Amino acid sequence: MDLLYKIFLDPFVQMGAAPDLLLQTLWEGLVGGVLYALIALGFVLIFKASGVFNFAQGIMVVFAGLTLVGLFGVISGLGNVNEHVAAFAALGLTVGVMFVLAVGIERLVLRPLVNQPDIILFMATFGLTYVLIGVGELIFGGEPKVMITGELFLPRGSTDWEVFGGFVSFQHIDLAAAIIASLMVAGLAVFFSKTRIGRALRAVADSHKAALSVGISLEQIWVIVWFASGLVALVTGIMWAARSDVSFALQIIALRALPVLILGGFTSIPGAIVGGLIIGVGEKLGEFYWGPLLGGGIESWLAYFIALVFLLFRPQGLFGEKIIERV
Amino acid sequence: MRLKGLLIGAMLGAMAGTPALAPAALAQDGIYVPLFSYRTGPFAGSGIPIANGMSDYLNMLNARDGGIGGVRLIVEECETGYDTKKGVECYESTKSKKPVVTNPYSTGITLQLIPKAAVDKIPVLSMAYGLSASADGERFPWVFNPPATYWDGLSMIMKYIAGKEGGFDKLKGKTIGYIFFDGGYGREPIPLLEQFAKTYGFDTKLYPVPAAEMQNQSAQWLSVRRDRPNYMIMWGWGAMNPTAVREAARTNFPMDRFLGVWWSGGEDDARPAGEGAKGYLTLNFHGVGADYPAIQDIVKHVIGKNSQTPRDKVGENLYNRGVYNSVLIAEAIRTAQQITGKKLVTGEDVRRGLESLTITEARWKEIGLPGFAAPITNVSCTDHNGHHAAYMQQWDGQKWVKVSDWITPMKEQVRPLLEAAAKDYVEKNTGWPKRTEACDKRS
């Protein structure tokens, strides 16, 4: 009886007793969820265009973050360079590096494997992950780096909102992350739904052969989506690393996008966003209110549990397409 | 084409899973000392300075003195990535070269190597980490964990907290939170914490941080905000440490009530949180800084020549931790040479050397590290740890500052628990061999 109370009633009693903490938990979940959505978006873009599950998305987040910090260090070391100028120059150069990476991946990894089964392409992204880890460690070393934030005019500090006899603390960097991520998601959604390239991407997603037959360049589309995915990785890297550090441990967090994808569907941009938010909020509420019952630390598997429960009711995910194959 | 794709994938996968051995000569004319290190992966931030300190000190002995007792040390690193499986592979790949001691540098790897040590006759030195119970030399003759166990560390933290509160009796009714890496390392002190809670009447709150959540601790710190513990104790490692310090600052947790074990006290653990980290406390058992003659010798003989250490990182806390580790290795080898009269000592000899390890205050001075650490005087055949003292250091925003005297562990509380745990370990591992090794130094 006591256990049932602890599972079904006590958490809600706690929510009512300290609504400020509930709001804080929801906010932290939303911020985490937005960042999960960004990571998931990187996966979705590439999956839509090529049917490839890009295992390297996580390391791309780390690689982009390390490149930015590394280039900032190099430019700052050149002499009397204003820190903001150096930061934005590094940002521009990092965008360039992500473009070169996209072209390189298309030329050296994807193009030679055209028309191969998806599992081969997946294996190739697995290999790409370890190449990027190795190259990243070779160039930047294994030590964690502090992300540049003030230099990029990203806000610091926090604002406390006094409410329900308590307070909810909003870190300015989290607010910035939520706004920037939302803008980025909206921008990408418009780009891929309203522009010619976006329509081409959707055509490629439907059928490579049909897209080729109407003159759409697969190579060009792949470069664009890998570049877009690289940009998403860069923004994710900046925002997540601003909350901790840029380190190779960050790539593990990218795997948290898997339940988001299970939930939202591998081909749906709205699915990535809504799925990210549900997972982000769900895992924080779960860890905070139900975690102590199970000894804590349940966050890492709870996300998968939530996704699997959803799958029981919607096997195609929240926004995924229901595929019926008749035999 | 399909085969080619699979082969490339398989090759890259295989590369990722193979431990990397740094090149070194075969152990024929020297004393072979493998160092398990992790310069890559999620824990590299903590692993790199320690690996640098360990290698640099031993390489300095080679460059300055021609080794130990006239015999060169063959120092070889094996990259584990802090991965237990790779650590065991490192052990297996170095075993045939007759190492005189193994340094796993991971509690997970140590736990795997403990049963192998007696069989292969290679002592395991798990310096201030590993299985606390392995301090029982009667049951674990091949495992050593000086200068202090995790349980000693916890007891020293509790003593410090009790000192702040005005005595252990003042802990009654208080709440002490424990945030820890959710693995063998972080779980190690929990039985003692629960024992202390029962004895002194305080409440405990546990906040595990799974490896995948090291950089995503907001839920744990929200729980801290809800539970309002009077003190927070941390057993963190790698990326977990700086994230926890940042989150504590974000939560406005009073940093002078946030205390870490000695593995949570790197400069890069506190520095990224900026001003917010001011006041954060951690245990330490050796000095910080480069103003020691031996460390200056490292700068003179090794840095920029046979080292991966940037000059400005010499003397940082975890770098000096690596130096301390290598001092224990070097002194054990030297002691083994003295006991056996041999120059080219073996693992069996160094086990005896470790069991007779003594580093007095005068000896610390003699080796160029005056006042660097508390004397090592209590290691013996029965006690493979010694339960030596540590001190509390505090982050002042720029550097670590010593803020306490040497704190001795509560050996009278720790030792019986430790022996019970050792007995339990032996009982659970049927057929555990009885000690047959002779003793050079009775306690």
Side-chain angles (χ1 to χ4, degrees), chain A residues 144 146 245, chain B residues 45-46 49-50 237-238 241-243 245-246 261-274 277-278 280 282-284 286-290 312-321 391 393-401:
Chain A
V146 178
D245 284 318
Chain B
S46 299
I50 290 175
W237 192 229
N241 287 333
T243 309
V245 174
R246 273 177 199 255
V261 71
W262 41 72
W263 299 117
S264 296
E267 278 81 356
D268 288 334
D269 294 338
R271 199 181 282 136
K278 254 185 176 175
Y280 170 58
T282 68
L283 282 176
N284 202 352
H286 55 73
V288 180
D312 61 336
K313 295 283 181 188
V314 175
E316 287 201 345
N317 191 20
L318 292 185
Y319 179 87
N320 283 10
R321 184 75 43 85
Y391 66 89
Q393 61 181 8
Q394 189 164 37
W395 185 253
D396 74 353
Q398 302 292 325
K399 61 184 185 310
W400 292 109
V401 179

Side-chain angles (χ1 to χ4, degrees), chain A residues 144-215:
Chain A
K145 311 278 189 300
V146 178
M147 177 48 72
I148 47 171
T149 49
E151 297 84 348
L152 287 171
F153 295 113
L154 289 171
R156 291 171 182 161
S158 64
T159 300
D160 289 350
W161 174 37
E162 293 193 7
V163 62
F164 298 127
F167 70 95
V168 180
S169 179
F170 296 98
Q171 294 291 323
H172 297 167
I173 190 74
D174 289 348
L175 285 167
I179 293 167
I180 291 170
S182 304
L183 288 175
M184 179 127 201
V185 166
L188 284 170
V190 169
F191 180 73
F192 285 110
S193 62
K194 304 286 181 196
T195 63
R196 193 180 63 83
I197 292 171
R199 285 194 292 277
L201 167 72
R202 296 209 315 267
V204 170
D206 282 343
S207 166
H208 287 186
K209 284 177 188 163
L212 279 169
S213 69
V214 293

Side-chain angles (χ1 to χ4, degrees), chain B residues 38-53:
Chain B
Y38 34 102
R39 295 178 179 275
T40 63
F43 299 91
S46 299
I48 289 171
I50 290 175
N52 286 341

